[in-house]
Each structure stands twice: as structure tokens, then as C-alpha cells.
Amino acid sequence: MHRVVALLGLLLAFPLAAQPDLTRRIGSTVADTGVTGWRFEQFRVGSRDGLRRYRVRLALPDAPAPAAGFPAVYLLDGNAALMEIDAALLATLSKAMPPPVLVFVGYDNDLRIDAEARAYDYTPQRPGGEEAQRDVPGGRRNGGADAFLDLLETVIVPKAESIVRLDPRRRTLWGHSYGGVFALHALFARPRTFAGYAAADPSLWWGDGQLLKEEDAVASWPSPPPRLWLWVGEGGERAPASAPPSSTRDPAAVEAMRRARGSVPPDAARRMAERLRRSGLDVRLETLSGQSHGQTLGSSLHRLLRALVEPPAPQASAQEQR
């Protein structure tokens, strides 16, 4: 009886209203309407296994490229990220010297979030063979992060650089939730690929805390070391965008999620930030007060883009920003 009550309580902790709407479509964006001072281009690529296709949109400033090239920000969940960009933000970015190129790496469909594809692309392989590569919420296939990182490095980044001159020393990667898992995995596995890594409310519980093990395995950082932005929401992470609605969850799935979340402490992000600072990284950790997991997507993206074009604020201490 106590077990049933506990499981019911956990189900209630994931209210249906808090679940992402996986049927939501991207609709019309600034890429369709146009913005003065910017132009948009796009290209499509396929995954090596032929199971996923990507539409990559570039927001290009209407300005001469500097000799070293524009800084570039690669945005995962590109459809959702594009929905967060408006004309006012682009007007602000256009005043930077130089403004950044925004590279929206999305799936080649009209879904805001492609839960099936991102559950595979954004998660690294776990020990235990193919049977271990299953998502706790929803049972979707995991383990494609290294293949997707290869695609970014060898296809998407070079193609973007063939369209516009980009500065490889000012290349940043941003991701939210499972995208944050991918950003941290890329930081730990291939820290030279990007100059900056940005993880918004990353699902550190994924893989029973596997990212903490990957962090521990890093022997050293390149010189100069990359920068890390890390955001967490005070509203608490509900279910990731790969989770099924609460009404379809069975007790076994709920119990598996409970165990996964219990694999890391509630302040795992803060502890990670402190360890990485001690290891020599410039880490900017910020708690987004009162924001739910889903709300951190847009707010973190806006904060990152403004941070990249504004003079850096002095860091009074290594304490978490609030």
C-alpha cells in the first residue's frame, strides 16, 4: 500500500500540464518573415545511418565578415531555438562588433521538438551493450551522441563555414535538457571542438549520473581552456522532452525515473561547476529564479547570446550567480 501511495505521489510530481507538447509545430518564425539587417540560409544533411535528417538554418548578419570571421553559435533543438528568436533580439545582436552567426541545428520536420531523434542524438552510449541504450522515460533508443558529434564536426560545421566566414576560435555550442547532456558530453569528450559550451538545465540524472563519470575521466583541458555556461531552473526539472505523458506511465517506468533522479544529488550542477572551476575552466553558473525546466530553454538562450556580444561583467567571486 505504501509503495502504491509513493508511486502515486511521484506521478503527481509530473503533472500533465507540465509535460512538453510533443505535437507542437514550429509555425512561422523570423526565418520566414525576415528581419532587417539579417538574412537566412539553410541546408539539409542526413545521419550516417540514414535514419535521421537535419535542417540547418543560419541567421547571417548583413555586414562584411571580419578578417578572422564571425563568431558562431550552434544551437541544438534548432526548431525550438528558432521559435525563441525575435526581431528585437536580432536587432540587439546586430549592434555587436562583430555580431554572431546563429546556426540552428534542427530536424528536418515541422516539430518544435523531435523527441525520438533527440533522445538518440543527444545521449552518449552507456556501458552494457545495445540493451542498455534505452531511455528511462519512454524507452526510446539512446547512445548516438558520438555519431552526432562526428556529424557536427565533419559535416555541419564545415558546411556552415563554406557559406560564411566563421572564426573557429569563437565557436559556441548550446543545448537544453538532453541537449545540455550533449553539450557537456562534447565538452568532456572533445573539448577542442568548441571554444564555449552552454548547457541549460542539463539532465544530469541521465544514465544514472553518467556525465559525472565522464567529467571525472577528463585528464586535462586544452590551452586556452573552453568556457562553460551552466543554467539551472528553480522551478525544478519535470520530465524531459522525451518523456511520455504521465497518464501513460506504468509504475515500473515511474520507479525507474525515481532511481535515475536519485543517482545524483539535487545540487549536482552546482557541485559540478565548483569542480570544473577548480580544474581550470571559466564556468558561469546561474540559477534562473522561479523558472521551470521548460522555461529555461528560451531564457538561457537569450542570456547566452547577450553574454556573447556584451562586455563581460566582472566576477566578484566564484560563487553561483543569482
Side-chain angles (χ1 to χ4, degrees):
M1 179 64 181
H2 292 298
R3 179 181 176 82
V4 172
V5 171
L7 289 175
L8 179 59
L10 190 56
L11 278 168
L12 293 175
F14 297 97
L16 190 58
Q19 305 299 323
D21 180 0
L22 300 182
T23 66
R24 187 177 175 189
R25 307 292 167 171
I26 185 172
S28 179
T29 69
V30 289
D32 305 301
T33 61
V35 175
T36 301
W38 293 80
R39 62 187 175 89
F40 286 82
E41 294 197 16
Q42 67 179 27
F43 61 88
R44 290 172 169 82
V45 299
S47 61
R48 185 169 297 174
D49 61 11
L51 298 179
R52 291 162 305 286
R53 284 193 61 77
Y54 311 88
R55 180 173 57 222
V56 182
R57 291 184 173 100
L58 287 80
L60 305 169
D62 187 13
F70 290 109
V73 189
Y74 290 79
L75 305 170
L76 302 180
D77 285 319
N79 289 353
L82 184 56
M83 293 171 71
E84 299 293 336
I85 303 298
D86 58 20
L89 178 59
L90 289 177
T92 298
L93 297 180
S94 67
K95 298 173 184 175
M97 298 296 290
V101 167
L102 309 184
V103 185
F104 301 89
V105 184
Y107 294 100
D108 192 15
N109 55 48
D110 64 351
L111 290 172
R112 177 180 179 271
I113 293 288
D114 189 327
E116 192 83 26
R118 77 194 297 270
Y120 181 72
D121 280 338
Y122 297 169
T123 56
Q125 280 209 343
R126 300 179 62 184
E130 183 61 29
E131 289 186 0
Q133 314 311 319
R134 290 292 168 184
D135 226 0
V136 170
R140 295 182 173 94
R141 189 176 176 220
N142 288 170
D146 287 324
F148 183 61
L149 188 50
D150 286 341
L151 187 76
L152 271 176
E153 282 190 294
T154 65
V155 179
I156 293 176
V157 168
K159 178 64 175 176
E161 292 177 344
S162 74
I163 294 173
V164 61
R165 188 183 308 151
L166 299 175
D167 186 348
R169 300 166 303 174
R170 301 182 67 185
R171 184 190 296 158
T172 301
L173 174 69
W174 170 91
H176 170 261
S177 188
Y178 274 23
V181 169
F182 180 85
L184 289 172
H185 172 70
L187 169 65
F188 300 146
R190 306 185 201 178
R192 290 178 174 82
T193 305
F194 296 90
Y197 297 80
D201 228 10
S203 303
L204 295 180
W205 53 264
W206 179 86
D208 297 326
Q210 180 171 324
L211 284 172
L212 277 63
K213 301 169 188 174
E214 293 188 10
E215 174 204 346
D216 191 54
V218 176
S220 62
W221 301 111
S223 181
R227 172 175 290 179
L228 173 64
W229 286 269
L230 191 58
W231 297 272
V232 292
E234 272 192 346
E237 181 181 340
R238 298 297 185 186
S242 55
S246 353
S247 59
T248 66
R249 292 185 182 177
D250 59 34
V254 173
E255 177 65 16
M257 177 62 81
R258 185 194 65 79
R259 288 197 305 269
R261 293 187 183 283
S263 66
V264 297
D267 60 346
R270 180 185 60 79
R271 295 188 187 189
M272 175 181 284
E274 291 173 351
R275 291 191 301 268
L276 292 175
R277 286 185 184 118
R278 290 195 296 268
S279 75
L281 286 192
D282 178 4
V283 183
R284 308 298 176 96
L285 172 66
E286 183 179 4
T287 296
L288 301 177
S289 301
Q291 295 197 14
S292 70
H293 179 61
Q295 290 170 327
T296 61
L297 188 154
S299 58
S300 68
L301 178 53
H302 281 232
R303 281 168 164 80
L304 172 66
L305 294 177
R306 288 194 165 93
L308 291 173
V309 301
E310 293 173 354
Q315 295 293 298
S317 69
Q319 297 300 312
E320 178 183 352
Q321 301 173 33
R322 288 187 178 271

